[in-house]
């Protein structure tokens, strides 16, 4: 029985429909007794819950953030929820985008002439975000300023609209300094305006059965062809649409931003986490620091269930490892194609990281810069329970030409378990 369990783990990489590569080492014949897995909550999480329990939800004043919605739709507007401090931001090498506040309104009895975005329904919802963009890069920069509210998965979302139901004096593309270039922002420019997201009734109801995310897209560049642009998106911020939902989210752990979380591939339940490990090893001229680990029970969402169909009925455990990279070399290092391995109980088994559930951007860290790498490893839950020791073999790094750097060397971290 033990041999079958271990061999099945070793071929997890080939089981996943989205796995890029995978292989395994022969498992030990030793039979193990499965220990119990205990859910551990940190003191910080407990304190957050106590704080939330005491906190009273501030009452909405009902003041309309964007009166143009009523004027242009000729409909009745009712405030559903206002978030005065969302704390959504995206820093892109000196170019910062911040969502200062947002408001959700329900619109009824619209003029039929404006109902196309609402699939010809005269009722719908509008989310208005007040956004500030600040170019502190020291030179003119191009940025498309796209935001999105993600629903069931990365392919199901509502995009921002800078023009529809936005007054001209609040249209960012109109009031910024560079009038002739739609996406060009002057050096030192700071501009604040509104963006709208138009929801049908069905889309708004979908938010209540998924975990919607607010994402600020990347793409800042110093040229209109967007060559060499900063492509990484913001973190996938939880999009709050009610006071009750806000309290529920505040009691949840802060999960690492792998694609299981960002793209709503799966719901997570924390098993164990350890942060602030800060163990640093050198790989050539690059410092690699193990910052933390999170072990989670994951339940695939309806939209992603098929991706995980080859895991058994015991459930799935994800290990997400957070590493900080300090590239002190004289060339960029790729972080999207690192072939790291997890050595289990020395020679019991080997599991490869699952690149397709790891963030895809940024793909590299430039010379002299720092960045973050998240590695994700997936296990059948019953198999995970018998293992005792995890050693992460990290590396090697690859250069722009695809060749291995630093003589294809790797470094090894023993992970908390």
């Amino acid at each position: 029985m033990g041999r079958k369990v271990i061999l099945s783990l070793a071929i997890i990489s080939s089981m996943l429909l989205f796995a890029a590569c995978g292989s395994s080492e022969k498992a030990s014949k030793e039979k193990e007794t499965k220990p119990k897995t205990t859910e551990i909550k940190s003191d910080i999480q407990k304190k957050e819950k106590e704080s939330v329990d005491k906190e009273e939800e501030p009452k909405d004043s009902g003041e309309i953030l964007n009166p143009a919605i009523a004027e242009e739709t000729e409909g009745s507007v009712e405030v559903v929820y206002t978030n005065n401090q969302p704390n959504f931001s995206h820093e892109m090498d000196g170019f910062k985008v911040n969502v200062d506040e947002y408001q959700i309104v329900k619109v009824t009895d619209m003029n039929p002439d404006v109902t196309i975005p609402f699939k010809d329904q005269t009722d719908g919802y509008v989310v208005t975000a007040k956004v500030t963009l600040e170019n502190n890069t020291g030179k003119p920069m191009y940025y498309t300023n796209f935001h999105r509210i993600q629903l069931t998965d990365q392919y199901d979302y509502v995009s921002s609209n800078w023009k529809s139901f936005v007054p001209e004096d609040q249209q960012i593309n109109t009031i910024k300094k560079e009038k002739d270039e739609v996406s060009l922002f002057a050096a030192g420019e700071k501009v604040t305006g509104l963006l709208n997201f138009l929801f049908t009734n069905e889309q708004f109801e979908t938010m209540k059965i998924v975990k919607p995310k607010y994402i600020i897209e990347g793409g800042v560049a110093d040229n209109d062809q967007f060559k060499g642009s900063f492509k990484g998106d913001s973190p996938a911020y939880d999009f709050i649409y009610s006071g009750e939902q806000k309290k529920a989210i505040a009691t949840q752990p802060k999960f690492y931003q792998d694609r299981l979380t960002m793209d709503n591939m799966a719901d997570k339940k924390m098993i164990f986490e350890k942060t602030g490990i800060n163990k640093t090893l050198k790989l050539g001229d690059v410092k690699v620091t193990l910052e933390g680990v999170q072990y989670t029970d994951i339940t695939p969402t309806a939209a992603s269930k098929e991706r995980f169909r080859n895991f058994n009925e015991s459930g799935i455990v994800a290990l997400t490892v957070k590493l900080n990279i300090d590239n002190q070399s004289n060339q960029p290092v790729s972080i999207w194609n690192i072939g790291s391995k997890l050595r289990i109980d020395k020679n019991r088994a080997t599991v490869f990281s699952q690149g397709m559930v790891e963030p895809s951007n940024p793909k590299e860290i430039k010379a002299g810069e720092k960045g973050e790498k998240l590695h994700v490893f997936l296990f059948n839950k019953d198999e995970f329970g018998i293992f005792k020791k995890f050693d992460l073999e990290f590396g090697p790094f690859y250069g722009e030409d695809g060749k291995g750097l630093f003589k294809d060397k790797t470094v090894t971290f023993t992970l908390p378990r």
Side-chain angles (χ1 to χ4, degrees), residues 271-295:
I271 299 172
F272 169 77
E273 70 172 335
K274 186 173 180 61
T275 59
I277 299 171
N278 296 328
K279 169 73 173 178
T280 300
L281 298 174
K282 288 200 71 173
L283 191 50
D285 294 322
V286 180
K287 288 184 177 181
V288 182
T289 300
L290 172 64
E291 198 284 329
V293 297
Q294 288 185 344
Y295 296 86

Short mmCIF file of all heavy atoms in Angstrom, two decimals, residues 271-295:
data_model
loop_
_atom_site.label_atom_id
_atom_site.label_comp_id
_atom_site.label_asym_id
_atom_site.label_seq_id
_atom_site.Cartn_x
_atom_site.Cartn_y
_atom_site.Cartn_z
N ILE A 271 -3.80 25.17 6.80
CA ILE A 271 -3.39 24.06 7.66
C ILE A 271 -2.28 24.54 8.60
O ILE A 271 -2.34 24.36 9.81
CB ILE A 271 -2.89 22.87 6.82
CG1 ILE A 271 -3.98 22.34 5.90
CG2 ILE A 271 -2.37 21.75 7.73
CD1 ILE A 271 -3.50 21.29 4.91
N PHE A 272 -1.28 25.16 8.01
CA PHE A 272 -0.13 25.63 8.78
C PHE A 272 0.61 26.68 7.96
O PHE A 272 0.69 26.59 6.73
CB PHE A 272 0.81 24.46 9.08
CG PHE A 272 2.14 24.86 9.65
CD1 PHE A 272 2.26 25.25 10.98
CD2 PHE A 272 3.28 24.85 8.86
CE1 PHE A 272 3.49 25.63 11.49
CE2 PHE A 272 4.51 25.23 9.38
CZ PHE A 272 4.62 25.62 10.70
N GLU A 273 1.12 27.71 8.63
CA GLU A 273 1.97 28.69 7.96
C GLU A 273 3.09 29.13 8.89
O GLU A 273 2.96 29.11 10.11
CB GLU A 273 1.16 29.91 7.49
CG GLU A 273 0.66 30.81 8.62
CD GLU A 273 0.03 32.09 8.09
OE1 GLU A 273 0.37 32.52 6.97
OE2 GLU A 273 -0.80 32.64 8.83
N LYS A 274 4.18 29.51 8.27
CA LYS A 274 5.29 30.10 9.01
C LYS A 274 5.89 31.19 8.14
O LYS A 274 6.29 30.93 6.99
CB LYS A 274 6.34 29.07 9.37
CG LYS A 274 7.45 29.65 10.27
CD LYS A 274 8.39 28.57 10.75
CE LYS A 274 9.51 29.13 11.64
NZ LYS A 274 8.98 29.78 12.85
N THR A 275 5.90 32.42 8.65
CA THR A 275 6.46 33.54 7.91
C THR A 275 7.67 34.08 8.66
O THR A 275 7.95 33.69 9.80
CB THR A 275 5.41 34.66 7.74
OG1 THR A 275 4.97 35.09 9.05
CG2 THR A 275 4.21 34.16 6.96
N GLY A 276 8.39 34.99 8.02
CA GLY A 276 9.55 35.59 8.66
C GLY A 276 10.69 34.61 8.88
O GLY A 276 11.50 34.79 9.80
N ILE A 277 10.80 33.59 8.04
CA ILE A 277 11.89 32.61 8.18
C ILE A 277 13.23 33.28 7.88
O ILE A 277 14.21 33.14 8.61
CB ILE A 277 11.66 31.41 7.25
CG1 ILE A 277 10.34 30.70 7.61
CG2 ILE A 277 12.83 30.44 7.33
CD1 ILE A 277 9.93 29.64 6.62
N ASN A 278 13.28 34.00 6.75
CA ASN A 278 14.43 34.83 6.37
C ASN A 278 15.76 34.07 6.36
O ASN A 278 16.79 34.56 6.83
CB ASN A 278 14.54 36.05 7.30
CG ASN A 278 13.34 36.97 7.17
OD1 ASN A 278 12.76 37.09 6.09
ND2 ASN A 278 12.97 37.61 8.25
N LYS A 279 15.73 32.89 5.79
CA LYS A 279 16.94 32.10 5.58
C LYS A 279 17.49 32.43 4.19
O LYS A 279 16.80 32.25 3.18
CB LYS A 279 16.61 30.61 5.67
CG LYS A 279 17.71 29.66 5.22
CD LYS A 279 18.84 29.59 6.22
CE LYS A 279 19.83 28.49 5.82
NZ LYS A 279 20.99 28.40 6.73
N THR A 280 18.73 32.94 4.12
CA THR A 280 19.31 33.40 2.85
C THR A 280 20.48 32.52 2.42
O THR A 280 21.37 32.21 3.22
CB THR A 280 19.79 34.85 2.97
OG1 THR A 280 18.68 35.69 3.30
CG2 THR A 280 20.38 35.34 1.65
N LEU A 281 20.46 32.12 1.15
CA LEU A 281 21.55 31.39 0.53
C LEU A 281 21.92 32.09 -0.77
O LEU A 281 21.08 32.77 -1.38
CB LEU A 281 21.15 29.93 0.25
CG LEU A 281 20.80 29.07 1.47
CD1 LEU A 281 20.28 27.71 1.02
CD2 LEU A 281 22.00 28.90 2.39
N LYS A 282 23.15 31.92 -1.21
CA LYS A 282 23.59 32.56 -2.45
C LYS A 282 23.64 31.55 -3.59
O LYS A 282 24.14 30.43 -3.43
CB LYS A 282 24.96 33.21 -2.27
CG LYS A 282 24.94 34.47 -1.40
CD LYS A 282 26.18 35.34 -1.64
CE LYS A 282 26.12 36.01 -3.00
NZ LYS A 282 27.22 37.00 -3.18
N LEU A 283 23.10 31.98 -4.72
CA LEU A 283 23.15 31.18 -5.94
C LEU A 283 23.88 32.02 -6.97
O LEU A 283 23.30 32.90 -7.60
CB LEU A 283 21.73 30.83 -6.41
CG LEU A 283 21.56 29.79 -7.51
CD1 LEU A 283 22.34 28.53 -7.20
CD2 LEU A 283 20.09 29.45 -7.69
N GLY A 284 25.18 31.80 -7.09
CA GLY A 284 25.99 32.69 -7.90
C GLY A 284 26.01 34.07 -7.27
O GLY A 284 26.32 34.22 -6.09
N ASP A 285 25.64 35.08 -8.07
CA ASP A 285 25.58 36.46 -7.57
C ASP A 285 24.17 36.86 -7.18
O ASP A 285 23.85 38.05 -7.13
CB ASP A 285 26.12 37.42 -8.63
CG ASP A 285 27.60 37.21 -8.90
OD1 ASP A 285 28.32 36.94 -7.92
OD2 ASP A 285 28.02 37.28 -10.07
N VAL A 286 23.32 35.89 -6.93
CA VAL A 286 21.93 36.16 -6.55
C VAL A 286 21.67 35.65 -5.14
O VAL A 286 21.99 34.50 -4.82
CB VAL A 286 20.94 35.49 -7.54
CG1 VAL A 286 19.51 35.78 -7.13
CG2 VAL A 286 21.21 35.96 -8.97
N LYS A 287 21.11 36.52 -4.30
CA LYS A 287 20.72 36.12 -2.96
C LYS A 287 19.29 35.60 -2.98
O LYS A 287 18.39 36.29 -3.46
CB LYS A 287 20.83 37.29 -1.99
CG LYS A 287 22.25 37.69 -1.64
CD LYS A 287 22.25 38.79 -0.60
CE LYS A 287 23.67 39.16 -0.19
NZ LYS A 287 23.67 40.23 0.85
N VAL A 288 19.07 34.39 -2.49
CA VAL A 288 17.74 33.77 -2.44
C VAL A 288 17.35 33.62 -0.98
O VAL A 288 18.07 32.95 -0.21
CB VAL A 288 17.74 32.41 -3.15
CG1 VAL A 288 16.32 31.82 -3.13
CG2 VAL A 288 18.25 32.53 -4.57
N THR A 289 16.25 34.23 -0.59
CA THR A 289 15.82 34.20 0.81
C THR A 289 14.48 33.48 0.94
O THR A 289 13.50 33.85 0.28
CB THR A 289 15.67 35.63 1.37
OG1 THR A 289 16.94 36.29 1.30
CG2 THR A 289 15.22 35.59 2.83
N LEU A 290 14.45 32.44 1.76
CA LEU A 290 13.19 31.76 2.09
C LEU A 290 12.46 32.62 3.11
O LEU A 290 12.89 32.76 4.25
CB LEU A 290 13.47 30.37 2.65
CG LEU A 290 12.27 29.61 3.21
CD1 LEU A 290 11.26 29.31 2.11
CD2 LEU A 290 12.73 28.32 3.89
N GLU A 291 11.33 33.22 2.68
CA GLU A 291 10.59 34.13 3.56
C GLU A 291 9.51 33.40 4.35
O GLU A 291 9.28 33.69 5.52
CB GLU A 291 9.98 35.26 2.73
CG GLU A 291 9.57 36.49 3.54
CD GLU A 291 8.28 36.30 4.33
OE1 GLU A 291 7.41 35.55 3.86
OE2 GLU A 291 8.16 36.90 5.41
N GLY A 292 8.81 32.45 3.69
CA GLY A 292 7.73 31.79 4.41
C GLY A 292 7.12 30.64 3.62
O GLY A 292 7.40 30.46 2.43
N VAL A 293 6.27 29.87 4.31
CA VAL A 293 5.55 28.77 3.68
C VAL A 293 4.11 28.77 4.16
O VAL A 293 3.82 29.19 5.28
CB VAL A 293 6.19 27.39 4.00
CG1 VAL A 293 7.60 27.30 3.46
CG2 VAL A 293 6.19 27.12 5.51
N GLN A 294 3.21 28.33 3.30
CA GLN A 294 1.81 28.12 3.67
C GLN A 294 1.37 26.76 3.14
O GLN A 294 1.53 26.46 1.96
CB GLN A 294 0.91 29.21 3.08
CG GLN A 294 1.06 30.58 3.73
CD GLN A 294 0.06 31.59 3.19
OE1 GLN A 294 -0.57 31.39 2.14
NE2 GLN A 294 -0.11 32.69 3.92
N TYR A 295 0.80 25.95 4.04
CA TYR A 295 0.19 24.67 3.66
C TYR A 295 -1.32 24.86 3.76
O TYR A 295 -1.84 25.27 4.80
CB TYR A 295 0.62 23.56 4.61
CG TYR A 295 2.10 23.25 4.59
CD1 TYR A 295 2.99 23.96 5.38
CD2 TYR A 295 2.60 22.22 3.79
CE1 TYR A 295 4.35 23.66 5.38
CE2 TYR A 295 3.95 21.90 3.79
CZ TYR A 295 4.83 22.64 4.59
OH TYR A 295 6.17 22.33 4.58
#
